[in-house]
Amino acid sequence: MPKKAMLHILEEISHVICTPLSCEEILQLTVEKLATFINVSRCSIVSIPEGCAQAEVVATFEDRNLKGLTIDLAKYPEIKKAIETRGVVMVEDVSGEPLLKEVQEELHSLGIRSLFVAPIMDKDRLFGTLFLRICKKEGHLTPQEASLCRIVSNLISKVFSDKHYMEELMETNQELNRLSQLKTEYLSNVSHELRTPLSSIKGFAETSLRLKLPPEKQRECVEIILKESERMERMVNQVLDISRISRGKLAEELVKKELDLTSELEAVVKLFRKSANKKSITMHKRFGKESLPLRADQDRIRQVIGNLLSNAIKFSHQGGIVYITAGKKNRQVSFSIVDEGIGIPPSDLPYIFEKFYTVERGRARRFPGTGVGLFLVKEIVELHRGKIEVQSSPGKGSTFTVTLPAGRAAEGGQ
């Protein structure tokens, strides 16, 4: 093959690759130009998803009807070898090649004499292969033609790499847009959630100033103002916690000490008795007096328990039951908060621990919330080298389980 002709075809293929055509169009034109230049009738490009046992024909010169066809790599040992070795496989005579023993009959029936397979790679990432089956009348590739095919396979890798980069860019952009939307909704939710207690505080403060209330009514107004201000304080603290996490400060501020999980659960359950009673919800403790030692930041662990218990009560039906279980196993302590409430749709489960995510969206929300509670719970649990898991079914309720390393007092235990 004259060097000038080889440079000319490479120039043509490079020009095709640099055009603003779609990936599929570029690959098809490249195959056609290469096959026509080296005079072979069977030339294809197959795309191979990472770790997949099948490949897809994305461009072909032999028969356009094959485009989009899925092929089983087990039936193409030459492609399989090129994938495994990340190298070129070139067979000048298929009849004497042990690798092709099981498919020789099929190759002979198609009149195939020789094969050439070159991997299409970018660094260590494999995208597919350039695949040539050469008929008897066409002979086999010359060294110059084989070299040309290797160069073309390297050029094709740019097409796959650019496509992969664009797909990742689009996915990243979509994710950023989604997070931006969640952030916007969060700001709207926070504004709404803050407006409610502010209105109560303002209303009862004005009532106290304007009217001469009896002492018991005056006390009732002050108690409501205190309750609503505490509610606002919790929301502000959540916002501050998000800031601490983003700056890596929350981990630095943890004050860990030896605690008893049983005592912490008892204390938090006691705090939520009143809110549970308002909905006639029964809280069943399914743990005994056994000590469940752990080393943790007391305020943060109570924050985790309180958030999960608050959610269980909030999403339970009137007159429902919430179960609190706890135990110890394999140098770990764990607790579960179980409710029989509305549950979580399967489509929302992968996202409930994301920052700003709420299951209910828009103005028709039945339950108040800012979408940061479970995010903070997960972050706090993981800062204690623990994990949180959830099981839920719509209409049947949810189970949140937190597992944490046991404290020093349990080192000689199970």
Side-chain angles (χ1 to χ4, degrees):
M1 176 193 298
K3 186 176 180 180
K4 189 175 180 180
M6 185 173 170
L7 291 173
H8 177 72
I9 189 62
L10 284 174
E11 185 180 352
E12 283 194 11
I13 290 173
S14 297
H15 176 73
V16 168
I17 288 172
C18 293
T19 57
L21 297 171
S22 69
C23 175
E24 291 74 17
E25 290 173 317
I26 290 171
L27 294 176
Q28 186 59 43
L29 281 171
T30 300
V31 162
E32 290 173 2
K33 284 185 176 294
L34 179 64
T36 302
F37 182 75
I38 59 178
N39 192 29
V40 295
S41 56
R42 297 174 184 270
C43 179
S44 302
I45 296 172
V46 297
S47 171
I48 304 165
E50 198 168 352
C52 190
Q54 293 183 319
E56 180 189 355
V57 179
V58 292
T60 180
F61 183 67
E62 77 185 81
D63 184 353
R64 288 210 175 190
N65 292 327
L66 296 176
K67 195 173 178 181
L69 182 72
T70 299
I71 61 174
D72 185 354
L73 293 178
K75 296 179 180 178
Y76 292 82
E78 64 275 31
I79 296 180
K80 199 172 178 182
K81 184 178 179 181
I83 295 168
E84 290 170 352
T85 62
R86 297 292 202 266
V88 171
V89 174
M90 187 171 174
V91 181
E92 292 189 1
D93 187 355
V94 297
S95 60
E97 177 55 54
L99 174 69
L100 306 170
K101 185 177 179 181
E102 294 183 8
V103 293
Q104 276 182 2
E105 189 174 327
E106 180 189 351
L107 293 173
H108 284 304
S109 68
L110 294 170
I112 304 298
R113 176 182 172 180
S114 58
L115 301 167
F116 178 91
V117 186
I120 299 169
M121 298 176 62
D122 179 30
K123 297 179 182 177
D124 293 330
R125 183 179 180 87
L126 178 76
F127 296 111
T129 64
L130 175 64
F131 178 40
L132 284 76
R133 284 184 164 189
I134 301 131
C135 296
K136 290 179 182 178
K137 63 180 180 180
E138 298 162 346
H140 57 79
L141 297 183
T142 64
Q144 293 90 343
E145 289 171 337
S147 178
L148 173 65
C149 290
R150 287 191 185 96
I151 295 170
V152 170
S153 71
N154 289 333
L155 291 173
I156 293 170
S157 70
K158 181 184 181 302
V159 180
F160 279 94
S161 182
D162 288 351
K163 181 187 178 185
H164 179 70
Y165 171 74
M166 288 303 298
E167 287 172 350
E168 284 189 337
L169 196 62
M170 288 176 67
E171 287 176 7
T172 302
N173 189 50
Q174 288 172 356
E175 181 64 10
L176 288 173
N177 287 336
R178 189 180 71 84
L179 291 174
S180 177
Q181 178 65 25
L182 288 177
K183 188 176 180 180
T184 301
E185 289 180 6
Y186 168 70
L187 293 172
S188 175
N189 291 340
V190 166
S191 300
H192 176 76
E193 294 292 323
L194 285 173
R195 190 181 296 119
T196 303
L198 271 174
S199 298
S200 293
I201 290 169
K202 184 181 178 183
F204 282 99
E206 288 175 346
T207 301
S208 298
L209 288 171
R210 289 177 184 174
L211 304 175
K212 288 186 176 181
L213 299 173
E216 64 272 12
K217 288 290 183 182
Q218 188 81 23
R219 181 178 179 82
E220 187 179 323
C221 285
V222 173
E223 285 177 348
I224 291 171
I225 290 171
L226 178 61
K227 180 184 173 183
E228 294 298 333
S229 63
E230 287 173 346
R231 181 178 164 190
M232 288 180 65
E233 183 182 29
R234 285 194 296 272
M235 282 188 277
V236 171
N237 284 338
Q238 283 188 338
V239 174
L240 293 174
D241 282 344
I242 291 173
S243 175
R244 289 187 184 98
I245 289 168
S246 65
R247 292 182 290 117
K249 292 292 184 182
L250 191 60
E252 296 174 8
E253 295 172 5
L254 292 179
V255 180
K256 294 184 180 181
K257 60 183 179 180
E258 294 297 318
L259 302 172
D260 176 15
L261 179 59
T262 303
S263 300
E264 300 309 313
L265 287 168
E266 290 275 12
V268 178
V269 168
K270 189 176 180 180
L271 290 173
F272 281 87
R273 285 282 179 208
K274 194 173 180 180
S275 60
N277 290 339
K278 284 182 180 178
K279 291 181 70 175
S280 301
I281 290 170
T282 304
M283 292 196 290
H284 277 316
K285 295 182 292 181
R286 288 182 168 175
F287 55 89
K289 298 295 183 181
E290 179 193 6
S291 177
L292 300 173
L294 77 158
R295 184 171 177 77
D297 183 301
Q298 187 174 46
D299 291 339
R300 293 303 180 180
I301 287 301
R302 289 192 178 191
Q303 182 180 347
V304 168
I305 299 168
N307 184 280
L308 296 178
L309 202 51
S310 173
N311 283 350
I313 294 168
K314 179 166 66 174
F315 296 111
S316 286
H317 304 296
Q318 187 79 17
I321 302 174
V322 172
Y323 299 94
I324 305 99
T325 68
K328 178 175 65 176
K329 186 179 180 182
N330 298 330
R331 297 181 184 255
Q332 292 181 319
V333 294
S334 65
F335 70 90
S336 296
I337 308 293
V338 185
D339 68 70
E340 297 175 344
I342 62 173
I344 303 167
S347 58
D348 288 301
L349 274 175
Y351 308 106
I352 60 169
F353 294 109
E354 284 189 359
K355 187 164 50 178
F356 312 137
Y357 192 86
T358 56
V359 173
E360 289 190 320
R361 320 293 284 276
R363 294 183 179 180
R365 298 196 314 149
R366 294 170 294 166
F367 302 97
T370 56
V372 297
L374 287 176
F375 165 75
L376 291 174
V377 164
K378 185 172 184 288
E379 290 291 324
I380 292 167
V381 168
E382 290 180 350
L383 284 174
H384 285 81
R385 296 185 294 115
K387 66 177 180 178
I388 182 168
E389 299 169 292
V390 58
Q391 292 179 316
S392 187
S393 297
K396 295 183 179 180
S398 305
T399 299
F400 285 85
T401 301
V402 173
T403 304
L404 297 160
R408 289 175 185 170
E411 288 181 357
Q414 291 181 323

